[in-house]
């Protein structure tokens, strides 16, 4: 799979945990050289693991069958526009959250289409867009020894995208996939990330979401 | 404490769990007779407990020091308008969520002021409004033997409202209060209730929120 804008903390955490789960990962970036460096540094951090993790430009990462959009939310649509044809009929996973910091809190914004994932699906009408990976603490994701255990909500209008996303999640240690319905749910799922980051700032913790009873 | 619009499932669950925790509760309703009947039926369901639970009209329930608004979300502002003077300088807890059903899902709406709690605070500028009790399954709340365990997010612009709300939550068995910041967070907290109800419909469960790591 490929990760667009994958050199930031969110993308790196996803990349290392997927690669550790046996998935071949191409980290994408506007700057291919930077992607290669980050991929190499990540592999070097875990010398005992055979991580299949390479760096490319975003177009290179978009060659994969399943592609995650891990850019900052403001950059998601601009990153995807030139890749529309390449991403046709592929599963594209949106993980960004439209947030703004105000003092000691994060607040949720409402992007056009109601969610970043909705904007991604509108930009890629012929792709199978899902939303996932919103509430995960990046540092714990990146550290394979952190003992992270978290539930990951997945939503999509395409059953194939939901199941492909669930498969990726189940390949990653410590994560459980939960099908949360249609892409309409992305608005509330993304916004709730503001609550998590606010909890983490306020209580000085790295909290995670658990859904009890499922 | 008093519960406005307390004869519905959400209000009843709150009432019985608070009364079981030793809090004196006045259930309010537009129809005082109905409130008295519901209070009596609830007491009769738990003959082994000495529940201090009475029924009154909403104005009677608003006499309490701390008041919960448990009406349907569309009715919250209309219920509160005639009680503005009575609720001055009191803690008022908003628990409603603006939701609409669409097929097999619940979707979150954006009410004026961004959240029901924001609309309640705007209606009661001289009250200390908090938001809490959003993600709780009503049936499990009402059944004291359900083994319910859930985290309850509290947010408010007033420290006194947050701590009064936390005290009520801690009096109820199975619930843990978590301070989630300012009333700005109510938008995301309320909207996330749509995700919970959708999960419950889709997976045929009664799921609850747990925040791990705090």
């Amino acid at each position: 799979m490929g990760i667009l804008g994958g050199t930031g903390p969110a993308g790196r955490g996803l990349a290392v945990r997927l690669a550790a789960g046996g998935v071949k990962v191409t980290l994408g970036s506007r700057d291919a050289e930077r992607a290669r460096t980050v991929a190499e540094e990540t592999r070097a951090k875990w010398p005992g693991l055979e991580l299949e993790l390479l760096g490319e430009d975003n177009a290179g990462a978009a060659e994969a069958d399943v592609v995650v959009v891990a850019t900052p939310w403001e950059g998601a649509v601009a990153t995807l526009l030139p890749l529309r044809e390449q991403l046709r009929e592929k599963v594209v996973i949106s993980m960004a959250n439209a947030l703004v910091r105000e003092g000691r809190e994060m607040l949720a914004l409402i992007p056009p289409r109601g969610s970043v994932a909705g904007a991604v699906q509108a930009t890629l009408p012929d792709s199978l867009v899902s939303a996932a990976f919103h509430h995960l603490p990046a540092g714990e994701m990146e550290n394979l020894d952190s003992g992270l255990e978290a539930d990951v909500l997945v939503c999509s209008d395409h059953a194939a995208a939901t199941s492909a996303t669930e498969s990726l999640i189940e390949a990653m240690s410590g994560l459980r996939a939960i099908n949360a319905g249609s892409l309409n749910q992305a608005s509330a799922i993304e916004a709730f990330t503001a609550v998590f980051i606010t909890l983490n700032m306020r209580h000085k913790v790295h909290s995670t979401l658990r859904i009890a009873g499922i």
Side-chain angles (χ1 to χ4, degrees), chain A:
Chain A
M1 53 82 60
I3 307 180
L4 308 181
T7 58
R12 290 198 312 261
L14 207 59
V16 69
R17 228 160 245 266
L18 278 167
V23 178
K24 187 178 165 182
V25 177
T26 306
L27 255 179
S29 170
R30 278 178 300 189
D31 176 351
E33 200 44 55
R34 169 147 174 75
R36 278 189 279 271
T37 306
V38 170
E40 200 174 308
E41 287 170 355
T42 304
R43 287 196 313 270
K45 243 185 245 169
W46 305 97
L49 301 175
E50 304 253 336
L51 303 180
E52 281 202 276
L53 176 59
L54 298 171
E56 288 265 15
D57 62 8
N58 281 328
E63 286 295 309
D65 282 346
V66 176
V67 173
V68 174
V69 192
T71 62
W73 68 271
E74 310 94 313
V77 168
T79 300
L80 292 169
L81 273 173
L83 304 172
R84 283 173 84 155
E85 278 309 309
Q86 222 181 326
L87 294 172
R88 270 179 80 90
E89 289 171 27
K90 290 185 184 174
V91 171
V92 176
I93 307 173
S94 171
M95 69 182 296
N97 311 286
L99 303 177
V100 65
R101 185 160 176 161
E102 191 176 296
R104 286 178 63 211
E105 300 199 349
M106 277 296 199
L107 302 180
L109 302 173
I110 302 170
R113 311 291 172 140
S115 64
V116 178
V120 167
Q121 181 68 81
T123 304
L124 305 173
D126 298 320
S127 301
L128 311 179
V129 173
S130 71
F133 303 120
H134 300 91
H135 308 128
L136 298 167
E140 274 63 26
M141 279 288 283
E142 207 173 343
N143 178 2
L144 296 172
D145 294 333
S146 64
L148 173 70
E149 293 208 12
D151 289 336
V152 179
L153 298 168
V154 181
C155 65
S156 175
D157 293 340
H158 308 280
T162 298
S163 64
T165 307
E166 289 178 326
S167 298
L168 283 184
I169 294 165
E170 299 295 346
M172 298 158 85
S173 74
L175 304 188
R176 177 175 70 142
I178 298 181
N179 182 348
S182 78
L183 206 70
N184 281 333
Q185 300 299 335
S187 307
I189 292 172
E190 292 178 10
F192 202 63
T193 307
V195 176
F196 267 95
I197 301 179
T198 300
L199 289 176
N200 291 346
M201 293 199 284
R202 174 172 282 273
H203 299 275
K204 296 185 177 62
V205 295
H206 302 283
S207 60
T208 52
L209 173 71
R210 305 307 304 266
I211 308 284
I214 294 192

